[in-house]
Amino acid sequence: MWLASFRPAEVIVLNHPLNRVRHELRLHGMCKEVMLDAFCETEVAEYVTEHLPSLAGDGAFVRALHERTDGLPLFVASLISEVVARSARYAEGRPQLADLAVPTQLTGIIDHYIAKLGIEQRTLLSAAAVCGVEFRASTVSHALERDGVWVDQACEELAREQLWLRSPRLHEGSHAPEQPYSFRHAWFRQVLYERTAPMARAQLHRKMRAALEKERAAGVPVTAAELGMHS
């Protein structure tokens, strides 16, 4: 028996040879994959107790940590390491996780993923990052002046890779307006946003605002908060 651990997203996105082996083994019923769940809030609390005892009883910190990391073990460990490394700055009170930048360890990993994107994919994701963690494919297509079907298909392909995006949550029989795609993690969106040159970012904000105003005029329920992001 061969037992191995790996991150599916990395195997798929980086076109690792293991991906072909997986498909072959699964085709012949010769393997079983066990997908590990993210930490729940209780498990995050246990991790904090073990690695940062001074904050073990701080429920607000644990909740903030769980929310900021989505319970992903790699992200939890990286952010805790960042807090420990900066502990000298927090002599009074607890650290504000929202004020911490993406840990250096993770930016290196995310930059590696960005480097593997094709030009069209990076253009699409950079535009989506300007919208926020959630975005409508139609808004991005209007801003980039690209065919809406192409944008939606490209987003679906990225969602299937299980790294960058999540597909919209569709409800059977629902006649609600277009449901948004979302980044799998806010940090992925943040690094993409920061890697976009300032002038290009400003131009994308202008295009997004124009696209949103056009959608609102057509009856799409665009919120003031959405427009405010691009002021």
Side-chain angles (χ1 to χ4, degrees):
M1 182 178 69
W2 179 40
L3 179 65
S5 63
F6 61 93
R7 296 191 180 98
E10 291 184 359
V11 169
I12 296 170
V13 173
L14 304 181
N15 195 27
H16 194 281
L18 180 58
N19 199 33
R20 293 190 292 275
V21 175
R22 287 175 64 219
H23 288 306
E24 188 69 21
L25 292 176
R26 289 165 69 182
L27 178 64
H28 297 288
M30 297 175 65
C31 75
K32 181 178 181 179
E33 291 186 2
V34 179
M35 301 298 292
L36 302 182
D37 296 328
F39 286 163
C40 65
E41 193 170 308
T42 300
E43 290 167 326
V44 170
E46 292 172 356
Y47 190 91
V48 171
T49 298
E50 183 176 351
H51 295 85
L52 201 59
S54 62
L55 292 172
D58 193 331
F61 175 80
V62 170
R63 284 191 296 276
L65 178 61
H66 183 261
E67 181 178 345
R68 183 105 163 98
T69 62
D70 288 338
L72 297 178
L74 175 63
F75 289 8
V76 172
S78 297
L79 198 53
I80 285 293
S81 295
E82 191 78 4
V83 171
V84 171
R86 301 187 182 192
S87 58
R89 301 183 186 182
Y90 305 122
E92 298 179 1
R94 62 178 175 81
Q96 297 299 313
L97 295 179
D99 297 334
L100 292 180
V102 180
T104 304
Q105 176 190 359
L106 291 181
T107 58
I109 294 173
I110 297 171
D111 280 335
H112 180 65
Y113 292 153
I114 291 174
K116 296 294 182 180
L117 291 169
I119 294 176
E120 294 284 6
Q121 289 179 317
R122 181 164 182 173
T123 298
L124 170 60
L125 288 172
S126 295
V130 169
C131 292
V133 174
E134 292 190 343
F135 63 94
R136 290 184 295 274
S138 59
T139 306
V140 174
S141 69
H142 290 150
L144 295 179
E145 298 180 345
R146 298 297 300 268
D147 178 68
V149 174
W150 178 86
V151 171
D152 191 46
Q153 183 60 39
C155 288
E156 275 302 313
E157 290 174 0
L158 286 163
R160 282 197 295 272
E161 291 179 355
Q162 301 178 34
L163 177 65
W164 291 103
L165 302 179
R166 288 193 179 95
S167 296
R169 297 177 181 176
L170 301 178
H171 303 284
E172 188 175 351
S174 173
H175 299 287
E178 177 187 0
Q179 298 299 308
Y181 285 89
S182 61
F183 282 92
R184 282 192 167 266
H185 198 282
W187 283 346
F188 282 72
R189 177 258 167 187
Q190 183 177 333
V191 173
L192 267 169
Y193 185 82
E194 291 172 352
R195 295 298 182 265
T196 304
M199 289 184 64
R201 203 160 57 210
Q203 184 181 58
L204 281 170
H205 275 296
R206 289 194 296 271
K207 289 183 175 181
M208 286 299 171
R209 185 175 180 88
L212 288 169
E213 289 176 340
K214 182 178 179 180
E215 288 180 336
R216 186 168 64 171
V220 177
V222 176
T223 67
E226 286 181 272
L227 287 170
M229 287 185 64
H230 310 291
S231 298

